[in-house]
Amino acid sequence: MRSEIVRRACHHKRAEIGLAAIDGRMTWAAGTTPRSPRGRSYQFDEEKLPTLEIALRFSNVEDLKKLAALTGEKVPSKKSDLVALIVQYLAGERLRMVWESLDEWQRAAVAEAVHSPSSQLNANVFRAKYGRYPDWGPAAEFSHDRKPSALCLFFHRNRMIPEDLKTRLLAFVPEPRQTVIATLDQLPPVYGRPFTRWNETKRTHEEGIEDVPLIVHETEIAAQRELISILRLVDAGKVSVSDKTHRASASTLDGIIAILDQGEYYQHVPPKDNWSDGNAGPIRAFAWPLLIQAGGLAQLSGTRLQLTKPGRRAIFEPAAGSIRMMWTKWVKTTIFDELARVECVKGQTGKGKRGLTAVSDRRETIAEALAECPPGGWIATEEFFRYMEATANTFTVTRDAWALYIGDQYVLSLLLEYAATLGMIDVALIPPAGARDDFHDLWGTDELTFFSRYDGLMYFRLTPLGAYCLGVESEYEPAPLAVKPVLQMLPNLEIVADPDLEKSDFLALNAYATPVADFVWRLEGGKLLAAIEAGRQVEEIRTFLTARSGTALPEEATRLLDDVAERINIVCDRGPACLIECADPAIAALIANDMPTRKHCLRAGERHLVVTASSEAAFRRALRRIQQRPRGRHSASVSYRASDICASNAPFRRSAPRHWYRQEFTQTLPPFV
């Protein structure tokens, strides 16, 4: 990503002669010379050049002589004669003849500026789109000795085409070609990583290319399962975060890594020493607590997260809708800046924070470019950077000297740690250590093993879930699972796999079936039920086994899966609830049948009531209304044994029934009538 160039206009006093206000902009009146009464040229940044004549009058005599030489006519010495000669040369049909004499890239440059609202050519955008700069003339040792090409007859101050030329050029100059992003249908098995090593024997540095295997992570289905697992972990009170940074604690990160569908992207490897630690650390485990907080599915209560009402509903609703909502809110959130995860960039806090731009603007720019990527095609990260610059989808992270490189790192961070975690993109990775060597020219990076933990992201692919989250598709339809005949289903419910089974398929089989030997598993009802309780679906298991075997499943396997599907529908988990113990059966019957409270609770035995978590607040309000009734002759006491309902409005910890506290308190109720 290349940061935008901020133009600084030089402000001078307005001339009293020859200056006219047109449409709110200060331009030179026709037939006047852009000079002050003292004869000095004015230096101000104009939005538009109204005419070719005015543009030429801003040039010095030496530059005008070089342009006049392109006409083939005798070059005069006076500035006014030089301007008249060039204007006359481009008059009438000769303008089209000069344009047709340009080469392909020069004509493309004219087309880009003519069909641009600014009438200006952005050189960096042009290079990103066409792979080179247009020919402005042969190079020279000094800029003032450079001879201009015919292209310089069209472009003048700040690489801008005058408005009168632009109007005439629009009649015959076609629109420039559309910018497209290159994709791959299939990834190469390895990535050629450049290296530089010190040869102790030869006492010299050796450079070359080494092949590194590409590891593909398909995230679409895994993200939907992981969301449910994370929400259940929060509901169990096992996710601790900082109240200031919103980051998860180290123990929480370990617990989240344990429930991730395929583990973290990079396994931890003990470093040889403190100077060569190539471990990337947690990525998806780090992102999930931040995402659910930004999405409003969980909120901080003390030092732990607790589910909100939308979070409790999300456990039992399709995950795709929740993920889309989380991405939409993440783009706008301010609870965290992805740049903070690039630890080698110092000065992000304190006074240095003032130089950082708004995170929402950066994310929106990247999201717009991501939405233009075709789903299903693999895209190199360098190609994505080029596409963003070629389409002018640029943003500024900071005005620091490293800004050009930091922009690239910010894109990698958002893609790998958040978009991929949500299942919006599949990723192809290599280890980050040594993955990129284009940052060592930056001061202070000589000893870095990698610039950031995201350096290993080489390719990504937009998934159907990503297209749905970005608004490209109005409805979500999961992509069909690719057919790979790497499994053999036997009638005895055993599964035999090929030795070259992919890691993701290996982990899936371990979740579905019981290992009995090397590359042999057995389908069992208990294991299938455990997998379903962890968030998987019977149809998902059936589809996986069918796609990986390449044939229809044996009758025995089909019957087992049908039986498991029938069993899970017998008993359904509707979420946590509170168990309330009353002093006697009469009080329980009165509360269960009283108009304000009966629709929020159910009888559970003689002296107990059950209130679901979703009805807890309404039940408390109804109970207070009962307390406000006039007191009669009789009174009764009710004792609550629950962690979710208390006498005060103070914050409390939500827990599943098996984790209830045994704290008791008594509250006197008026008689029920």
Side-chain angles (χ1 to χ4, degrees), residues 594-597 600 617-627:
D594 196 84
M595 182 64 71
T597 55
H600 302 301
F619 179 80
R620 292 173 63 171
R621 289 194 298 268
L623 206 57
R624 285 194 293 269
R625 286 199 296 270
I626 295 177
Q627 290 177 298

Side-chain angles (χ1 to χ4, degrees), residues 474-508:
S474 58
E475 297 182 358
Y476 170 61
E477 294 184 4
L481 194 62
V483 177
K484 300 178 182 177
V486 294
L487 303 179
Q488 182 180 0
M489 288 289 305
L490 302 179
N492 62 353
L493 299 180
E494 288 188 349
I495 306 171
V496 181
D498 291 345
D500 57 349
L501 187 69
E502 294 181 0
K503 181 181 178 181
S504 59
D505 294 341
F506 182 87
L507 294 173

Side-chain angles (χ1 to χ4, degrees), residues 140-419:
E141 183 177 359
F142 301 102
S143 59
H144 61 268
D145 293 334
R146 186 171 187 173
K147 294 183 179 180
S149 68
L151 184 61
C152 297
L153 292 170
F154 297 86
F155 290 94
H156 297 276
R157 187 181 180 87
N158 295 329
R159 299 281 170 85
M160 194 179 297
I161 294 181
E163 290 300 297
D164 61 340
L165 275 188
K166 177 179 178 179
T167 302
R168 294 165 59 197
L169 289 168
L170 281 171
F172 56 84
V173 174
E175 292 188 2
R177 72 186 190 193
Q178 294 294 322
T179 305
V180 296
I181 188 167
T183 61
L184 298 175
D185 294 332
Q186 188 173 1
L187 285 176
V190 295
Y191 180 83
R193 180 177 62 185
F195 69 87
T196 301
R197 298 193 184 99
W198 173 254
N199 190 319
E200 188 65 30
T201 304
K202 298 181 179 180
R203 307 292 297 176
T204 183
H205 283 95
E206 294 181 345
E207 297 181 354
I209 303 293
E210 59 183 354
D211 291 336
V212 181
L214 274 172
I215 307 300
V216 176
H217 293 267
E218 296 180 350
T219 64
E220 182 178 8
I221 304 301
Q224 299 179 60
R225 289 197 294 259
E226 289 173 4
L227 173 60
I228 305 303
S229 301
I230 294 295
L231 293 178
R232 292 188 183 278
L233 199 66
V234 172
D235 198 30
K238 297 182 179 180
V239 178
S240 300
V241 300
S242 168
D243 59 342
K244 294 182 179 180
T245 65
H246 302 278
R247 297 187 181 193
S249 63
S251 59
T252 296
L253 291 176
D254 292 338
I256 294 176
I257 292 173
I259 65 172
L260 293 180
D261 194 62
Q262 300 178 18
E264 268 295 356
Y265 294 129
Y266 302 110
Q267 300 298 323
H268 181 79
V269 178
K272 297 179 182 179
D273 52 65
N274 294 333
W275 303 102
S276 60
D277 188 358
N279 289 296
I283 296 180
R284 289 154 60 205
F286 181 89
W288 272 121
L290 292 171
L291 288 167
I292 61 176
Q293 290 179 80
L297 302 183
Q299 62 185 8
L300 189 63
S301 177
T303 60
R304 299 180 183 273
L305 291 182
Q306 66 179 11
L307 292 182
T308 60
K309 287 185 177 180
R312 293 190 181 279
R313 292 196 301 267
I315 296 178
F316 307 100
E317 295 177 350
S322 299
I323 289 176
R324 184 181 189 180
M325 177 270 299
M326 291 167 64
W327 170 256
T328 302
K329 291 189 175 182
W330 179 257
V331 170
K332 301 177 181 179
T333 188
T334 58
I335 67 170
F336 188 72
D337 187 348
E338 294 88 347
L339 186 63
R341 291 278 279 163
V342 186
E343 287 91 352
C344 69
V345 179
K346 306 302 181 183
Q348 298 186 45
T349 58
K351 294 182 179 179
K353 191 175 182 180
R354 302 173 186 173
L356 299 177
T357 58
V359 291
S360 59
D361 294 340
R362 303 180 222 152
R363 297 186 189 121
E364 288 175 358
T365 301
I366 300 172
E368 289 175 3
L370 194 61
E372 296 172 2
C373 296
W378 287 101
I379 300 171
T381 52
E382 293 297 331
E383 171 65 11
F384 186 64
F385 297 153
R386 181 204 68 81
Y387 178 77
M388 288 189 67
E389 189 167 13
T391 54
N393 273 329
T394 55
F395 63 91
T396 302
V397 177
T398 175
R399 296 180 179 87
D400 187 271
W402 287 5
L404 295 180
Y405 198 80
I406 292 174
D408 292 353
Q409 291 295 322
Y410 184 85
V411 175
L412 295 176
S413 171
L414 184 63
L415 291 180
L416 183 58
E417 192 158 79
Y418 300 94

